[in-house]
Amino acid sequence: MTALHDWSAGELLAAYRGRSLSPVEVMKAVIAQVERWEPRLCATYLYRPEQALEQARASEQRWRTGTPAGPLDGVPCTIKENIATAGDPVPLGTAAVALVPAAADGPPAARMREAGAILFAKTTMPDYGMLSSGLSSFHPLARNPWDLSKGPGGSSAGGGAAAAAGYGPLHIGTDIGGSLRLPASWCGIFSLKPSLGRIPIDPPYTGRAAGPMTRSVADSALMMQVLSQPDARDSMSLPAQDIAWHEAAAATPAFLRGLRVGLLLDAGCGLPLEPEVRAAVEQSARWLEAAGAQVTPMQPFLTPGMLEGMDHFWRMRSLADLQALSDERRAQVLPYIRTWAESAGAFSARQVFDASQQFHLTRVATVRACSAFDYVVSPVAPHAAFAAEWASPTNDPLRPLEHIAYTVPFNMSEQPAASVNCGYTAAGLPIGLQIAGPRFDDLGVLRFARAFEQIRGTQKPWPLP
């Protein structure tokens, strides 16, 4: 039988409704799994098993009386530490931030709590969320459960590791250039970066999105019905909309028939595509064609100037953040981040202005390139997981973003984009397929991904501690 910590949210909820399973049993199983893994994985922050059991007992009582608090009552969930939870500090992955308790839950945490989910831990991230790794000056080094010598990706590092390791079914991360999809790809899980504003977040920022991290599309769809509820704190949020999120779980391969699908294998810049990743994505395209989709190769649309401009603007933004710190606190920031940010010190005003324009140019180019297709598929990253101790795949602070050329365009274009596992390297490391859809078509991306789950190759068993 499948261990309780491996059950999906949908399975748990059905068992709770049928009174064949208690949230307390489930939470105990998840706690046991966390304690088997965590000394080596280092995925959690503010892990609170006793509080989790209190929440589970309250949920158990509600299910006994037929009065669940919401659609996720009693389901274990983790939340990335940069999403505020009332009374807890938000260190942003860095030792430089003062540990001041948050006054209130951020929007994603508030929605999950209202829905009855058991919020039993937060998950780790790198300094300021500006790395695609689990390297942090505040948290212990996060590792990948598929291979502990590798990192889980980032910046939603702990969330990716936790989902793959079986820390319950539901996890929430954030993404501004690939921070949901990269760890999802490298940890073999599913994640959706929704359309900008679909999930309210605080503070909002250009390209920044919160999203689900799960082992299946169906569980992410369950989360979307909760997370997409409105919250006035996000000035960039979309109007409330009644979306039939449950249709994602019901999608079949027939959904793919007749779709115009663009295949992007050349990102136009960044690191070269590794042969094993290319082979997995090309095989995915053949599966899509066999299911009736019309797959057409695409020309690259992101330019080196666009990627460099976004990098340079973010360097200057981070430099301004560092300059606002005292000398003592600035010295605590990860040296890689300091070197990266301080390299902007010599930029002229004209250089910073020109860099800022690359966000809009990327948006326009991405929308134009995708307009001929219903959906676009590509690698999530040009390579599989890299060394856990490295800050980035190049480990060079002056070449920090060469691995996000496939993901960052869809942050700037505000389009929904997901990562779904599509294969493995010879060493057994997962490879993610990115699925991007038109702006606002989050449900369509979920339906496409669910259809793909049913036609892809056999999945390896989840890693064991």
Side-chain angles (χ1 to χ4, degrees), residues 2 6 22 28 64 100 107 145 166 187 190 196 237 271 312 329 388 391 412 455 465:
T2 303
D6 283 332
S22 159
K28 286 180 177 178
R64 278 179 181 166
V100 178
C187 292
F190 177 79
L196 184 73
S237 63
L271 295 173
H312 285 184
R329 288 204 173 274
M412 299 310 124
I455 65 171

Short mmCIF file of all heavy atoms in Angstrom, two decimals, residues 2 6 22 28 64 100 107 145 166 187 190 196 237 271 312 329 388 391 412 455 465:
data_model
loop_
_atom_site.label_atom_id
_atom_site.label_comp_id
_atom_site.label_asym_id
_atom_site.label_seq_id
_atom_site.Cartn_x
_atom_site.Cartn_y
_atom_site.Cartn_z
N THR A 2 0.35 2.31 -0.62
CA THR A 2 1.07 3.57 -0.65
C THR A 2 1.13 4.17 0.75
O THR A 2 0.12 4.25 1.45
CB THR A 2 0.37 4.56 -1.60
OG1 THR A 2 0.27 3.98 -2.89
CG2 THR A 2 1.13 5.87 -1.69
N ASP A 6 2.70 9.76 1.07
CA ASP A 6 2.73 9.83 -0.40
C ASP A 6 1.34 10.02 -1.01
O ASP A 6 1.22 10.15 -2.22
CB ASP A 6 3.35 8.56 -0.97
CG ASP A 6 4.87 8.53 -0.86
OD1 ASP A 6 5.48 9.61 -0.85
OD2 ASP A 6 5.44 7.43 -0.79
N SER A 22 -7.95 9.63 9.27
CA SER A 22 -7.98 10.84 10.08
C SER A 22 -6.81 11.75 9.71
O SER A 22 -5.70 11.27 9.44
CB SER A 22 -7.87 10.46 11.56
OG SER A 22 -7.41 11.55 12.34
N LYS A 28 0.90 12.50 11.38
CA LYS A 28 1.94 11.71 12.02
C LYS A 28 2.83 11.04 10.98
O LYS A 28 4.06 10.96 11.15
CB LYS A 28 1.31 10.66 12.94
CG LYS A 28 0.74 11.23 14.24
CD LYS A 28 0.13 10.13 15.11
CE LYS A 28 -0.37 10.69 16.43
NZ LYS A 28 -1.01 9.64 17.27
N ARG A 64 -15.41 14.79 11.74
CA ARG A 64 -16.33 13.91 12.47
C ARG A 64 -17.74 14.50 12.52
O ARG A 64 -18.73 13.77 12.49
CB ARG A 64 -15.83 13.71 13.91
CG ARG A 64 -14.75 12.65 14.06
CD ARG A 64 -14.33 12.55 15.51
NE ARG A 64 -13.27 11.55 15.70
CZ ARG A 64 -12.54 11.44 16.79
NH1 ARG A 64 -12.75 12.29 17.81
NH2 ARG A 64 -11.62 10.51 16.90
N VAL A 100 12.01 40.10 12.31
CA VAL A 100 10.85 40.79 12.87
C VAL A 100 9.60 39.98 12.56
O VAL A 100 9.36 39.63 11.41
CB VAL A 100 10.72 42.21 12.27
CG1 VAL A 100 9.48 42.92 12.82
CG2 VAL A 100 11.98 43.02 12.55
N PRO A 107 -1.17 36.80 1.42
CA PRO A 107 -2.36 36.25 0.77
C PRO A 107 -2.35 34.73 0.57
O PRO A 107 -3.34 34.07 0.92
CB PRO A 107 -2.41 37.02 -0.56
CG PRO A 107 -1.78 38.33 -0.23
CD PRO A 107 -0.68 38.01 0.74
N PRO A 145 16.56 15.44 -3.15
CA PRO A 145 16.39 14.06 -2.70
C PRO A 145 16.73 13.00 -3.74
O PRO A 145 16.98 11.85 -3.37
CB PRO A 145 14.91 14.00 -2.32
CG PRO A 145 14.27 15.14 -3.02
CD PRO A 145 15.31 16.20 -3.13
N GLY A 166 8.26 13.76 -0.21
CA GLY A 166 7.06 13.27 0.43
C GLY A 166 6.71 13.95 1.73
O GLY A 166 6.13 13.33 2.62
N CYS A 187 13.59 18.57 -9.47
CA CYS A 187 13.11 17.63 -8.44
C CYS A 187 12.04 16.68 -8.97
O CYS A 187 11.52 15.86 -8.21
CB CYS A 187 12.59 18.40 -7.23
SG CYS A 187 13.87 19.27 -6.30
N PHE A 190 5.57 18.68 -10.24
CA PHE A 190 4.79 19.58 -11.09
C PHE A 190 4.69 20.94 -10.41
O PHE A 190 4.56 21.03 -9.19
CB PHE A 190 3.38 19.04 -11.32
CG PHE A 190 2.53 19.99 -12.13
CD1 PHE A 190 2.68 20.06 -13.50
CD2 PHE A 190 1.63 20.84 -11.50
CE1 PHE A 190 1.93 20.96 -14.25
CE2 PHE A 190 0.87 21.75 -12.25
CZ PHE A 190 1.03 21.80 -13.63
N LEU A 196 0.32 36.44 -14.28
CA LEU A 196 0.59 37.47 -13.27
C LEU A 196 -0.72 37.96 -12.66
O LEU A 196 -1.64 38.33 -13.38
CB LEU A 196 1.35 38.64 -13.88
CG LEU A 196 1.75 39.72 -12.87
CD1 LEU A 196 2.88 39.22 -11.99
CD2 LEU A 196 2.14 41.01 -13.56
N SER A 237 -3.30 42.26 -8.91
CA SER A 237 -4.06 41.02 -9.03
C SER A 237 -5.15 41.14 -10.09
O SER A 237 -5.64 42.24 -10.39
CB SER A 237 -4.68 40.64 -7.69
OG SER A 237 -5.60 41.60 -7.26
N LEU A 271 22.99 29.23 -21.61
CA LEU A 271 23.78 28.01 -21.67
C LEU A 271 23.28 27.08 -22.77
O LEU A 271 22.09 27.06 -23.08
CB LEU A 271 23.72 27.28 -20.32
CG LEU A 271 24.35 28.01 -19.13
CD1 LEU A 271 24.08 27.27 -17.84
CD2 LEU A 271 25.86 28.17 -19.34
N HIS A 312 21.17 43.07 -15.56
CA HIS A 312 21.79 44.31 -15.11
C HIS A 312 20.82 45.15 -14.27
O HIS A 312 21.22 45.76 -13.27
CB HIS A 312 22.30 45.11 -16.30
CG HIS A 312 23.55 44.53 -16.88
ND1 HIS A 312 24.25 45.13 -17.91
CD2 HIS A 312 24.25 43.39 -16.59
CE1 HIS A 312 25.31 44.39 -18.22
NE2 HIS A 312 25.32 43.34 -17.43
N ARG A 329 25.42 44.39 8.54
CA ARG A 329 24.43 43.50 7.93
C ARG A 329 24.81 43.17 6.48
O ARG A 329 24.62 42.04 6.02
CB ARG A 329 23.05 44.14 7.98
CG ARG A 329 22.47 44.16 9.39
CD ARG A 329 20.96 44.21 9.39
NE ARG A 329 20.43 44.07 10.74
CZ ARG A 329 20.19 42.90 11.33
NH1 ARG A 329 20.44 41.79 10.68
NH2 ARG A 329 19.70 42.86 12.55
N ALA A 388 25.14 20.95 -5.33
CA ALA A 388 24.40 21.64 -4.27
C ALA A 388 25.14 22.86 -3.74
O ALA A 388 24.52 23.86 -3.37
CB ALA A 388 24.12 20.66 -3.13
N ALA A 391 26.21 28.30 -6.27
CA ALA A 391 25.16 29.31 -6.24
C ALA A 391 24.30 29.29 -7.49
O ALA A 391 23.12 29.62 -7.46
CB ALA A 391 25.78 30.69 -6.04
N MET A 412 7.85 37.80 -17.80
CA MET A 412 7.70 39.15 -18.33
C MET A 412 6.44 39.29 -19.18
O MET A 412 5.82 40.34 -19.23
CB MET A 412 8.94 39.55 -19.12
CG MET A 412 10.21 39.56 -18.29
SD MET A 412 9.99 40.49 -16.75
CE MET A 412 10.45 39.27 -15.53
N ILE A 455 0.35 10.53 -21.15
CA ILE A 455 1.00 9.97 -22.35
C ILE A 455 2.51 9.88 -22.21
O ILE A 455 3.18 9.26 -23.05
CB ILE A 455 0.67 10.81 -23.61
CG1 ILE A 455 1.24 12.24 -23.50
CG2 ILE A 455 -0.83 10.85 -23.86
CD1 ILE A 455 1.13 13.05 -24.78
N PRO A 465 14.53 8.05 1.61
CA PRO A 465 15.61 8.54 2.46
C PRO A 465 16.63 7.47 2.74
O PRO A 465 16.33 6.28 2.69
CB PRO A 465 14.88 8.96 3.75
CG PRO A 465 13.61 8.20 3.75
CD PRO A 465 13.23 7.99 2.31
#
